[in-house]
Amino acid sequence: MARAQRFPEPEDSVADNKRGNTMTTNSEFKAWRVEEKDGEYQGSEQTLSTADLPEGEVLIRVTHSSLNYKDALSASGNKGVTRSFPHTPGIDAAGEVVESATGEPAVGSRVIVTGYDLGMNTDGGFGEYIRVPAAWCVPMPSGWDARTAMIYGTAGLTAGLCVGKLLKMGASPEQGKVAVSGASGAVGSVAIELLANLGFDVVAISGKADHADSLKDLGASEVVGRDALAEEKKPLLKPVFANAVDTVGGTPLAELLKQVQPGGSVSCCGLVAGPQLSTTVLPFILRGVNLLGVDSVEIPLPDKQAVWEKFAGEWKCPKTEASARDIGRAELDEALKAFLKGASAGKIVLDHSR
Ligand SMILES: NC(=O)c1ccc[n+]([C@@H]2O[C@H](COP(=O)([O-])OP(=O)(O)OC[C@H]3O[C@@H](n4cnc5c(N)ncnc54)[C@H](OP(=O)(O)O)[C@@H]3O)[C@@H](O)[C@H]2O)c1
């Protein structure tokens, strides 16, 4: 796959690798691994060997990963995400290349890997090492570090893609309010800050009344409860939103579509409220509303790289970066369970040095 840019030069800490002092393929490392016992799925720290990792062109020493809803599904034994166990989840990883069969990315270069099969059926970023195809590796934007990249992670990447699709459809602040559902979640919170930074009037839709102040701090001008998207019989409602980012799917998405102004767009990326979408065609044929699907997993590498470069530059979200919470592997179990309960908020970074 074509790459738009060279991989950055190694930092001092990995210069030894560039001089040929690379690890052997049998080094031991720590990983948070999920096993199945009597139909129950339990994660724990284990010592693995890099020889246990799957085939692949690039061996990466992972310093940081990021927590996502999909990791929680994998860790709970969801077979739609991970077919067989034992397994190391972690759909995001950032770190340094220590072995490279293709020479590009080079040993010592810093990379971000998100999506594709990482953490699903390929051992992921909850281990200190991953081995992946070269075509999964995005060069770290210059001036960025692994922790910062993982504050955004797949959730940030997805928020960036959602906002990018709205902008591509011509969304602008003058058109009116933009709604963000699942507002306190990992995708929703980045979408709020990014849209607010771009000058949009953002309405956060959240089930967590106690998060109203933090959502306003991120840039929302208004916070409304999830009941704003409760099921209504009418096929169309008063069009109060010019555009929207929906991270929850299900009934809330169907209700959101009824409330979008003529010509407006809704980026849709998630399914925490359900995978079904029960709607009429009326928002589409009477108001010309656009429903824009967003996939951050399988899209071409240059599309991911473009969003990462933006977050490292004009799309920087300082509040998201400042509010991220760092955890170690020992805290993964609790943090992942909070995701499944819809009780997580903000961005959580896994730091393998903790
Ligand atoms: N398409 C892609 O490539 C892609 C990439 C990343 C994530 N996703 C998906 O996007 C969704 C959001 O991901 P995330 O990482 O932001 O998850 P998250 O951190 O768990 O946030 C989801 C938020 O949705 C709200 N919510 C939870 N349960 C709900 C329910 N039953 N009904 C309505 N709202 C509910 C909660 O926010 P409030 O309490 O504030 O309402 C929650 O914080 C997930 O479905 C995830 O799988 C898709």
Side-chain angles (χ1 to χ4, degrees):
M1 190 175 296
R3 278 198 190 84
Q5 184 177 316
R6 272 177 50 76
F7 285 77
E9 285 300 303
E11 292 176 328
D12 289 349
S13 65
V14 293
D16 281 353
N17 288 333
K18 203 155 195 223
R19 289 193 288 269
N21 184 20
T22 55
M23 64 179 293
T24 71
T25 48
N26 290 320
S27 295
E28 286 191 342
F29 68 95
K30 302 284 186 200
W32 192 81
R33 200 136 168 96
V34 177
E35 291 177 301
E36 181 186 1
K37 278 185 196 145
D38 304 326
E40 298 282 309
Y41 294 85
Q42 186 63 49
S44 63
E45 176 155 316
Q46 296 188 12
T47 302
L48 302 181
S49 161
T50 51
D52 300 331
L53 290 170
E55 299 277 300
E57 294 152 333
V58 183
L59 183 66
I60 297 164
R61 186 173 73 83
V62 178
T63 57
H64 295 81
S65 180
S66 175
L67 269 65
N68 292 279
Y69 187 73
K70 200 186 262 182
D71 298 321
L73 292 177
S74 171
S76 64
N78 185 302
K79 292 285 164 69
V81 177
T82 300
R83 284 190 300 274
S84 65
F85 294 84
H87 170 67
T88 306
I91 63 169
D92 292 344
E96 304 154 356
V97 175
V98 293
E99 289 179 5
S100 177
T102 54
E104 184 73 3
V107 168
S109 60
R110 296 175 298 121
V111 293
I112 303 169
V113 183
T114 66
Y116 305 120
D117 193 48
L118 188 71
M120 294 180 68
N121 294 293
T122 300
D123 282 345
F126 293 177
E128 291 174 310
Y129 284 88
I130 56 172
R131 191 182 281 115
V132 297
W136 291 8
C137 302
V138 174
M140 183 72 70
S142 76
W144 249 29
D145 55 42
R147 177 179 179 270
T148 310
M150 291 294 95
I151 290 172
Y152 293 88
T154 284
L157 175 66
T158 306
L161 290 165
C162 286
V163 172
K165 282 215 167 175
L166 293 183
L167 297 176
K168 218 178 236 177
M169 291 302 290
S172 68
E174 303 74 50
Q175 293 166 346
K177 297 177 181 187
V178 56
V180 176
S181 64
S184 71
V187 178
S189 57
V190 177
I192 289 172
E193 183 172 5
L194 176 55
L195 285 161
N197 290 349
L198 293 172
F200 285 89
D201 183 356
V202 183
V203 178
I205 301 173
S206 175
K208 300 186 189 84
D210 54 337
H211 278 63
D213 287 345
S214 63
L215 294 172
K216 284 188 178 164
D217 286 346
L218 275 177
S221 62
E222 207 180 320
V223 181
V224 299
R226 278 187 207 161
D227 49 2
L229 301 180
E231 189 164 2
E232 296 268 356
K233 288 219 160 58
K234 291 184 187 167
L236 288 171
L237 297 168
K238 188 174 167 196
V240 285
F241 302 120
N243 297 287
V245 170
D246 175 72
T247 74
V248 303
T251 300
L253 172 57
E255 295 301 317
L256 193 52
L257 288 166
K258 297 176 185 175
Q259 301 183 46
V260 174
Q261 293 169 9
S265 299
V266 179
S267 293
C268 138
C269 68
L271 77 180
V272 287
Q276 305 293 341
L277 179 61
S278 173
T279 180
T280 69
V281 296
L282 296 187
F284 310 112
I285 66 172
L286 295 183
R287 290 183 177 163
V289 169
N290 307 294
L291 180 56
L292 313 171
V294 170
D295 166 40
S296 68
V297 179
E298 294 292 340
I299 54 170
L301 203 69
D303 294 354
K304 294 185 183 181
Q305 187 175 351
V307 176
W308 289 120
E309 292 291 337
K310 285 203 160 162
F311 276 125
E314 67 207 84
W315 279 7
K316 180 179 169 70
C317 292
K319 291 171 186 163
T320 296
E321 291 185 18
S323 66
R325 184 158 68 91
D326 295 83
I327 64 168
R329 290 185 296 274
E331 294 149 282
L332 272 171
D333 192 50
E334 193 183 335
L336 291 168
K337 282 179 178 148
F339 260 100
L340 287 182
K341 287 187 209 143
S344 71
K347 294 296 294 123
I348 305 174
V349 173
L350 172 65
D351 178 349
H352 279 296
S353 70
R354 280 168 80 97

